[in-house]
Amino acid sequence: MTSTGAVLAGLRAAMAELATPVRVYVAAGRFTEPDPDLPELAARIGLLLADMAADEAWRRFAPEYVPPSVPELCAALEPLETHEAAPFLARLATVDLYWPTHRHLPAEPAARAADRAVSLLGPDGSWWTNHDEAGGAVNGVSPFLDSVVAGTDGEHFVVALQVAPD
């Protein structure tokens, strides 16, 4: 059995490997609320959106941006099957939303880091994205092109966000 400290350290390390300056933002942590669920995960997404918006690279384009409320974020999220989470997370860290031929990170290291994050949250982890795969749409959560994937095991969470100019 893995200790919560080791899981948290592993999640933070894996997610840090998926981050890139100005385009791919990540977060990993442990919930402090009792019995966290989707609203608590959405709140963490909101915090990451606020971090992105505070980055000078994006603040100048949307100085008045305030992340959506927790209910709005919950409404923008769609469930993602656990077996789809690692490939989706790796793709978010590698393939540019605006220029799909541009790569932010090499695919193999990103896939390994994504696999580790998903593995640490376990097979019963729940995963969410702002992509509506059935409708082929993205429920934007920022004033830019964006892609979010977030997961939790009910104790820990990870969030990845890629933004691109539109």
Side-chain angles (χ1 to χ4, degrees):
M1 184 178 237
T2 307
S3 75
T4 191
V7 170
L8 183 56
L11 288 171
R12 286 183 173 154
M15 295 305 289
E17 289 181 43
L18 298 173
T20 66
V22 184
R23 294 306 279 277
V24 180
Y25 297 82
V26 301
R30 185 170 181 225
F31 290 111
T32 56
E33 304 87 351
D35 300 320
D37 204 354
L38 183 57
E40 289 77 17
L41 185 60
R44 296 314 190 281
I45 294 169
L47 291 173
L48 190 59
L49 285 163
D51 288 346
M52 175 275 302
D55 189 329
E56 180 57 34
W58 299 105
R59 185 175 64 226
R60 63 188 170 143
F61 297 114
E64 305 296 320
Y65 171 72
V66 175
S69 67
V70 167
E72 290 170 316
L73 286 169
C74 287
L77 298 173
E78 300 286 336
L80 184 65
E81 296 292 330
T82 300
H83 70 274
E84 297 172 331
F88 197 102
L89 186 56
R91 190 170 57 248
L92 184 145
T94 58
V95 179
D96 188 82
L97 293 172
Y98 193 75
W99 300 105
T101 57
H102 175 74
R103 298 294 186 253
H104 294 290
L105 295 173
E108 288 183 29
R112 285 192 301 270
D115 285 342
R116 278 197 317 276
V118 172
S119 176
L120 285 164
L121 289 182
D124 295 328
S126 62
W127 290 89
W128 300 87
T129 182
N130 65 333
H131 289 251
D132 179 355
E133 293 295 324
V138 176
N139 302 316
V141 294
S142 78
F144 312 107
L145 293 175
D146 59 61
S147 184
V148 173
V149 64
T152 181
D153 64 0
E155 182 177 358
H156 304 91
F157 65 88
V158 296
V159 180
L161 163 72
Q162 185 190 137
V163 288
D166 56 359

